[in-house]
Protein backbone atom coordinates (compact mmCIF):
# COMPACT_ATOMS: atom_id res chain seq x y z
CA UNK A 1 0.00 0.00 0.00
CA UNK A 2 1.31 3.43 -0.92
CA UNK A 3 -0.05 6.50 0.89
CA UNK A 4 1.24 10.03 1.47
CA UNK A 5 1.48 9.84 5.25
CA UNK A 6 4.15 11.82 7.06
CA UNK A 7 6.75 9.33 8.38
CA UNK A 8 7.69 11.70 11.24
CA UNK A 9 5.66 11.45 14.42
CA UNK A 10 7.29 14.27 16.42
CA UNK A 11 9.90 16.83 15.40
CA UNK A 12 11.88 18.49 18.21
CA UNK A 13 14.51 20.71 16.64
CA UNK A 14 16.94 18.46 14.77
CA UNK A 15 15.53 15.36 16.53
CA UNK A 16 12.84 13.52 14.62
CA UNK A 17 10.89 10.61 16.06
CA UNK A 18 9.46 8.53 13.24
CA UNK A 19 6.43 6.33 13.28
CA UNK A 20 8.64 3.40 12.32
CA UNK A 21 10.87 3.89 15.38
CA UNK A 22 7.86 4.45 17.61
CA UNK A 23 6.25 1.17 16.57
CA UNK A 24 9.55 -0.62 17.01
CA UNK A 25 9.98 0.78 20.54
CA UNK A 26 6.43 -0.25 21.49
CA UNK A 27 7.01 -3.79 20.25
CA UNK A 28 10.30 -4.03 22.17
CA UNK A 29 8.65 -2.82 25.38
CA UNK A 30 5.80 -5.33 24.99
CA UNK A 31 8.20 -8.16 24.24
CA UNK A 32 10.40 -7.26 27.21
CA UNK A 33 7.43 -7.17 29.56
CA UNK A 34 6.20 -10.61 28.48
CA UNK A 35 9.68 -12.17 28.55
CA UNK A 36 10.48 -10.93 32.08
CA UNK A 37 7.02 -11.72 33.45
CA UNK A 38 6.91 -15.28 32.12
CA UNK A 39 10.63 -15.87 32.59
CA UNK A 40 10.46 -15.25 36.35
CA UNK A 41 7.53 -17.65 36.54
CA UNK A 42 9.69 -20.29 34.91
CA UNK A 43 12.50 -19.99 37.43
CA UNK A 44 14.87 -17.37 35.98
CA UNK A 45 16.31 -14.41 37.84
CA UNK A 46 14.81 -11.04 36.93
CA UNK A 47 18.20 -9.34 36.59
CA UNK A 48 19.39 -12.06 34.23
CA UNK A 49 16.26 -11.64 32.08
CA UNK A 50 16.70 -7.86 31.81
CA UNK A 51 20.37 -8.23 30.89
CA UNK A 52 19.82 -10.87 28.24
CA UNK A 53 16.88 -8.93 26.81
CA UNK A 54 19.08 -5.86 26.33
CA UNK A 55 21.71 -7.94 24.52
CA UNK A 56 19.09 -9.64 22.35
CA UNK A 57 17.60 -6.28 21.34
CA UNK A 58 20.98 -4.81 20.39
CA UNK A 59 22.09 -7.96 18.59
CA UNK A 60 18.72 -8.19 16.85
CA UNK A 61 18.88 -4.62 15.52
CA UNK A 62 22.45 -5.05 14.29
CA UNK A 63 21.67 -8.38 12.63
CA UNK A 64 18.42 -7.13 11.08
CA UNK A 65 20.07 -4.07 9.56
CA UNK A 66 23.15 -5.97 8.38
CA UNK A 67 21.17 -8.66 6.57
CA UNK A 68 18.85 -6.09 4.98
CA UNK A 69 21.74 -3.99 3.70
CA UNK A 70 23.60 -7.02 2.35
CA UNK A 71 20.50 -8.24 0.50
CA UNK A 72 19.83 -4.78 -0.97
CA UNK A 73 23.35 -3.59 -1.88
CA UNK A 74 22.18 -1.32 -4.70
CA UNK A 75 20.40 0.96 -2.21
CA UNK A 76 23.42 1.53 0.04
CA UNK A 77 26.77 0.73 -1.60
CA UNK A 78 26.65 3.67 -3.99
CA UNK A 79 28.18 7.14 -3.69
CA UNK A 80 26.19 9.40 -1.41
CA UNK A 81 24.26 6.54 0.24
CA UNK A 82 26.82 5.07 2.61
CA UNK A 83 25.47 7.10 5.52
CA UNK A 84 22.10 5.42 5.14
CA UNK A 85 23.58 2.08 6.21
CA UNK A 86 23.29 3.02 9.90
CA UNK A 87 20.01 4.95 9.63
CA UNK A 88 17.81 2.28 11.16
CA UNK A 89 15.11 4.87 11.80
CA UNK A 90 14.62 5.19 8.04
CA UNK A 91 13.47 1.58 7.90
CA UNK A 92 14.94 -1.49 6.29
CA UNK A 93 15.23 -4.41 8.70
CA UNK A 94 15.25 -8.15 8.10
CA UNK A 95 13.37 -10.40 10.51
CA UNK A 96 15.70 -13.29 9.69
CA UNK A 97 18.67 -11.05 10.50
CA UNK A 98 17.03 -9.99 13.77
CA UNK A 99 16.54 -13.62 14.77
CA UNK A 100 20.13 -14.48 13.87
CA UNK A 101 21.73 -11.50 15.63
CA UNK A 102 19.51 -11.70 18.71
CA UNK A 103 19.93 -15.48 18.91
CA UNK A 104 23.72 -15.30 18.81
CA UNK A 105 23.78 -12.62 21.51
CA UNK A 106 21.44 -14.62 23.74
CA UNK A 107 23.40 -17.85 23.24
CA UNK A 108 26.64 -16.14 24.22
CA UNK A 109 25.14 -14.69 27.40
CA UNK A 110 23.52 -17.98 28.43
CA UNK A 111 26.82 -19.82 28.13
CA UNK A 112 28.52 -17.10 30.14
CA UNK A 113 26.02 -16.80 33.00
CA UNK A 114 24.13 -20.07 33.45
CA UNK A 115 25.48 -23.43 34.56
CA UNK A 116 24.78 -26.71 32.84
CA UNK A 117 23.88 -27.32 29.17
CA UNK A 118 23.04 -24.10 27.34
CA UNK A 119 20.60 -25.63 24.84
CA UNK A 120 17.64 -26.17 27.27
CA UNK A 121 17.94 -22.57 28.54
CA UNK A 122 18.19 -21.30 24.97
CA UNK A 123 15.04 -23.20 23.98
CA UNK A 124 13.04 -21.75 26.87
CA UNK A 125 14.11 -18.19 26.13
CA UNK A 126 13.29 -18.59 22.45
CA UNK A 127 9.74 -19.50 23.45
CA UNK A 128 9.53 -16.46 25.72
CA UNK A 129 10.61 -14.18 22.84
CA UNK A 130 7.83 -15.23 20.45
CA UNK A 131 5.18 -12.70 21.61
CA UNK A 132 7.61 -9.80 21.20
CA UNK A 133 8.64 -11.01 17.73
CA UNK A 134 5.02 -11.39 16.60
CA UNK A 135 4.02 -7.96 17.96
CA UNK A 136 7.07 -6.41 16.33
CA UNK A 137 6.18 -7.97 12.99
CA UNK A 138 2.65 -6.58 13.26
CA UNK A 139 3.62 -3.03 14.21
CA UNK A 140 6.78 -2.58 12.15
CA UNK A 141 4.87 -3.50 8.99
CA UNK A 142 2.53 -0.59 9.79
CA UNK A 143 5.64 1.57 10.12
CA UNK A 144 6.62 0.43 6.61
CA UNK A 145 3.45 2.12 5.34
CA UNK A 146 4.60 5.46 6.77
CA UNK A 147 8.09 4.98 5.29
CA UNK A 148 6.69 4.07 1.84
CA UNK A 149 8.60 0.76 1.75
CA UNK A 150 7.96 -3.00 1.48
CA UNK A 151 5.53 -2.32 -1.35
CA UNK A 152 3.41 -4.81 -3.25
CA UNK A 153 3.31 -5.61 -6.94
CA UNK A 154 1.12 -3.57 -9.26
CA UNK A 155 -2.23 -5.05 -10.25
CA UNK A 156 -4.86 -4.31 -12.88
CA UNK A 157 -7.49 -6.94 -12.11
CA UNK A 158 -7.94 -6.02 -8.43
CA UNK A 159 -9.67 -3.05 -6.75
CA UNK A 160 -6.33 -1.57 -5.62
CA UNK A 161 -3.41 -0.51 -7.80
CA UNK A 162 -0.83 -2.33 -5.64
CA UNK A 163 -1.02 -5.18 -3.17
CA UNK A 164 -1.15 -3.77 0.41
CA UNK A 165 1.59 -6.16 1.49
CA UNK A 166 2.23 -4.29 4.74
CA UNK A 167 -1.36 -4.87 5.85
CA UNK A 168 -1.23 -8.51 4.78
CA UNK A 169 1.88 -8.99 6.89
CA UNK A 170 0.46 -7.15 9.89
CA UNK A 171 -2.61 -9.41 9.84
CA UNK A 172 -0.36 -12.46 9.51
CA UNK A 173 1.57 -11.36 12.59
CA UNK A 174 -1.69 -11.18 14.55
CA UNK A 175 -2.68 -14.68 13.40
CA UNK A 176 0.74 -16.06 14.37
CA UNK A 177 0.42 -14.46 17.82
CA UNK A 178 -3.02 -16.02 18.35
CA UNK A 179 -1.70 -19.45 17.31
CA UNK A 180 1.18 -19.05 19.75
CA UNK A 181 -1.12 -18.11 22.63
CA UNK A 182 -3.34 -21.11 21.95
CA UNK A 183 -0.41 -23.53 21.86
CA UNK A 184 1.21 -21.97 24.95
CA UNK A 185 -1.81 -22.92 27.09
CA UNK A 186 -0.95 -26.58 26.48
CA UNK A 187 2.55 -26.11 27.98
CA UNK A 188 4.48 -27.96 25.23
CA UNK A 189 8.17 -28.83 25.65
CA UNK A 190 10.69 -26.00 25.53
CA UNK A 191 11.50 -24.82 22.01
CA UNK A 192 8.29 -26.07 20.41
CA UNK A 193 6.56 -22.67 20.48
CA UNK A 194 9.41 -20.80 18.81
CA UNK A 195 10.12 -23.36 16.09
CA UNK A 196 6.40 -23.65 15.36
CA UNK A 197 6.19 -19.87 14.98
CA UNK A 198 9.20 -19.84 12.67
CA UNK A 199 7.84 -22.78 10.67
CA UNK A 200 4.51 -21.09 9.96
CA UNK A 201 6.20 -17.77 9.31
CA UNK A 202 8.36 -19.33 6.59
CA UNK A 203 5.28 -20.78 4.93
CA UNK A 204 3.64 -17.34 5.02
CA UNK A 205 6.66 -15.73 3.37
CA UNK A 206 6.88 -18.36 0.64
CA UNK A 207 3.19 -18.73 -0.16
CA UNK A 208 1.83 -15.18 0.19
CA UNK A 209 4.07 -12.26 1.10
CA UNK A 210 6.90 -12.80 -1.36
CA UNK A 211 4.50 -13.87 -4.11
CA UNK A 212 2.86 -10.42 -4.22
CA UNK A 213 5.72 -8.23 -2.93
CA UNK A 214 7.82 -6.08 -5.20
CA UNK A 215 11.10 -7.95 -4.77
CA UNK A 216 14.05 -9.10 -6.91
CA UNK A 217 13.34 -12.27 -8.90
CA UNK A 218 15.84 -15.12 -8.57
CA UNK A 219 14.16 -17.75 -10.73
CA UNK A 220 11.31 -16.57 -13.03
CA UNK A 221 8.98 -19.55 -12.95
CA UNK A 222 5.58 -17.84 -13.09
CA UNK A 223 4.26 -14.28 -13.42
CA UNK A 224 0.76 -12.83 -13.63
CA UNK A 225 0.93 -9.02 -13.97
CA UNK A 226 -2.84 -8.61 -13.80
CA UNK A 227 -2.98 -10.06 -10.29
CA UNK A 228 0.51 -8.94 -9.26
CA UNK A 229 1.96 -12.44 -8.78
CA UNK A 230 5.61 -13.40 -9.34
CA UNK A 231 7.51 -16.59 -8.47
CA UNK A 232 10.33 -17.12 -7.32
CA UNK A 233 11.87 -14.14 -5.54
CA UNK A 234 15.28 -14.19 -3.88
CA UNK A 235 13.65 -14.48 -0.46
CA UNK A 236 11.46 -17.38 -1.59
CA UNK A 237 14.49 -19.32 -2.76
CA UNK A 238 16.51 -18.68 0.42
CA UNK A 239 13.56 -19.37 2.73
CA UNK A 240 13.25 -23.08 1.91
CA UNK A 241 16.32 -24.14 3.95
CA UNK A 242 14.99 -22.19 6.96
CA UNK A 243 11.63 -23.89 6.57
CA UNK A 244 13.25 -27.33 6.69
CA UNK A 245 15.39 -26.40 9.71
CA UNK A 246 12.36 -25.05 11.57
CA UNK A 247 10.37 -28.20 10.79
CA UNK A 248 13.21 -30.47 11.97
CA UNK A 249 13.87 -28.55 15.21
CA UNK A 250 10.14 -28.45 15.91
CA UNK A 251 10.06 -32.25 15.84
CA UNK A 252 13.27 -32.47 17.86
CA UNK A 253 11.84 -30.26 20.61
CA UNK A 254 8.90 -32.63 20.98
CA UNK A 255 11.19 -35.64 21.14
CA UNK A 256 13.53 -34.01 23.67
CA UNK A 257 10.67 -33.14 26.02
CA UNK A 258 12.56 -30.38 27.86
CA UNK A 259 10.53 -28.94 30.73
CA UNK A 260 9.38 -25.38 29.84
CA UNK A 261 10.12 -24.34 33.44
CA UNK A 262 13.63 -24.34 34.81
CA UNK A 263 14.18 -26.34 37.96
CA UNK A 264 17.81 -26.39 39.10
CA UNK A 265 19.22 -29.89 38.75
CA UNK A 266 19.45 -32.40 35.90
CA UNK A 267 17.42 -31.35 32.89
CA UNK A 268 14.35 -33.38 31.99
CA UNK A 269 14.35 -35.30 28.75
CA UNK A 270 15.65 -38.52 27.26
CA UNK A 271 19.27 -37.54 27.89
CA UNK A 272 18.76 -36.67 31.55
CA UNK A 273 21.12 -38.33 34.02
CA UNK A 274 19.87 -41.38 35.88
CA UNK A 275 19.33 -40.84 39.62
CA UNK A 276 22.21 -42.05 41.79
CA UNK A 277 21.85 -45.26 43.82
CA UNK A 278 21.22 -44.67 47.54
CA UNK A 279 24.13 -45.19 49.95
CA UNK A 280 22.33 -48.16 51.47
CA UNK A 281 19.60 -50.52 50.38
CA UNK A 282 16.04 -49.80 51.45
CA UNK A 283 15.87 -53.00 53.58
CA UNK A 284 19.20 -52.44 55.37
CA UNK A 285 19.40 -50.31 58.52
CA UNK A 286 21.86 -47.45 58.43
CA UNK A 287 25.12 -47.77 60.34
CA UNK A 288 25.09 -46.49 63.90
CA UNK A 289 27.43 -43.95 65.32
CA UNK A 290 30.05 -45.34 67.75
CA UNK A 291 28.32 -43.84 70.79
CA UNK A 292 24.74 -44.45 69.61
CA UNK A 293 22.85 -47.11 71.64
CA UNK A 294 21.42 -50.02 69.69
CA UNK A 295 17.66 -50.39 69.54
CA UNK A 296 15.96 -52.89 71.80
CA UNK A 297 15.26 -56.40 70.51
CA UNK A 298 11.52 -55.81 70.39
CA UNK A 299 12.00 -52.95 67.96
CA UNK A 300 11.28 -50.22 70.51
CA UNK A 301 13.39 -47.32 71.56
CA UNK A 302 16.73 -48.07 73.27
CA UNK A 303 16.62 -47.95 77.07
CA UNK A 304 19.36 -46.85 79.43
CA UNK A 305 21.09 -49.63 81.48
CA UNK A 306 20.22 -49.92 85.20
CA UNK A 307 22.91 -49.31 87.87
CA UNK A 308 22.98 -53.09 88.66
CA UNK A 309 23.69 -53.91 84.97
CA UNK A 310 26.46 -51.30 84.89
CA UNK A 311 28.04 -52.90 87.99
CA UNK A 312 27.92 -56.44 86.51
CA UNK A 313 29.45 -55.20 83.27
CA UNK A 314 32.33 -53.51 85.18
CA UNK A 315 32.97 -56.70 87.24
CA UNK A 316 33.14 -58.90 84.14
CA UNK A 317 35.55 -56.47 82.48
CA UNK A 318 37.81 -56.51 85.57
CA UNK A 319 37.79 -60.31 85.76
CA UNK A 320 38.69 -60.56 82.09
CA UNK A 321 41.63 -58.23 82.57
CA UNK A 322 42.83 -60.25 85.61
CA UNK A 323 42.66 -63.50 83.60
CA UNK A 324 44.76 -61.95 80.83
CA UNK A 325 47.48 -60.96 83.32
CA UNK A 326 47.60 -64.55 84.75
CA UNK A 327 47.95 -66.03 81.29
CA UNK A 328 44.69 -67.94 81.40
CA UNK A 329 41.17 -67.50 80.22
CA UNK A 330 38.75 -65.67 82.48
CA UNK A 331 36.31 -67.82 84.40
CA UNK A 332 32.64 -67.62 83.70
CA UNK A 333 30.21 -67.89 86.60
CA UNK A 334 28.59 -71.33 86.84
CA UNK A 335 31.12 -72.97 84.43
CA UNK A 336 33.85 -74.71 86.56
CA UNK A 337 35.15 -76.50 83.47
CA UNK A 338 36.37 -73.10 82.17
CA UNK A 339 38.21 -72.18 85.36
CA UNK A 340 41.93 -71.47 84.97
CA UNK A 341 44.40 -74.20 85.99
CA UNK A 342 45.31 -74.34 89.65
CA UNK A 343 42.13 -72.70 90.78
CA UNK A 344 41.07 -75.88 92.73
CA UNK A 345 37.70 -76.22 91.07
Amino acid sequence: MEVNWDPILIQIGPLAIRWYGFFMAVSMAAGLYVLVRDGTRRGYDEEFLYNISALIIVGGIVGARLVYVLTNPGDYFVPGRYGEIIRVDHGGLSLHGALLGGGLAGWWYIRRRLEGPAWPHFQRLLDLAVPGIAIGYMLVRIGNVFNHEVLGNYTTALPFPRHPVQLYASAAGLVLLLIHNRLARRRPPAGYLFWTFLYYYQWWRIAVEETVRDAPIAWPVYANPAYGIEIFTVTQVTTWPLLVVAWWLRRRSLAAGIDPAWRPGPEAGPDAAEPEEPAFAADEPPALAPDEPAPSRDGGSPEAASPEEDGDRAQRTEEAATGDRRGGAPSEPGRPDLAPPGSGA
Side-chain angles (χ1 to χ4, degrees), residues 230-274:
E230 290 182 312
I231 302 174
F232 283 105
T233 66
V234 173
T235 302
Q236 284 177 318
V237 173
T238 58
T239 296
W240 283 104
L242 296 175
L243 176 68
V244 174
V245 170
W247 170 81
W248 181 71
L249 289 174
R250 181 170 175 255
R251 291 176 60 87
R252 287 285 299 168
S253 64
L254 282 177
I258 299 173
D259 194 331
W262 179 36
R263 298 177 178 86
E267 294 288 353
D271 298 329
E274 293 292 335

Side-chain angles (χ1 to χ4, degrees), residues 5 10-11 29 32 51 71 157 175 191 202 215 254 297 313 338 345:
W5 292 346
I10 300 175
Q11 181 80 42
L32 177 64
N51 290 340
T71 53
V175 172
Q202 303 308 320
L254 282 177
R297 293 183 179 181
R313 186 182 301 113
L338 298 180

Side-chain angles (χ1 to χ4, degrees), residues 76 80 95-96 106 119 134 153 180 219 221 252 258 261 263 270 274 288 300 319 331 338:
Y76 300 98
L95 179 59
H96 294 115
W119 183 245
N153 291 328
H180 165 80
W219 183 20
V221 174
R252 287 285 299 168
I258 299 173
R263 298 177 178 86
E274 293 292 335
L288 297 175
E319 291 175 355
S331 63
L338 298 180

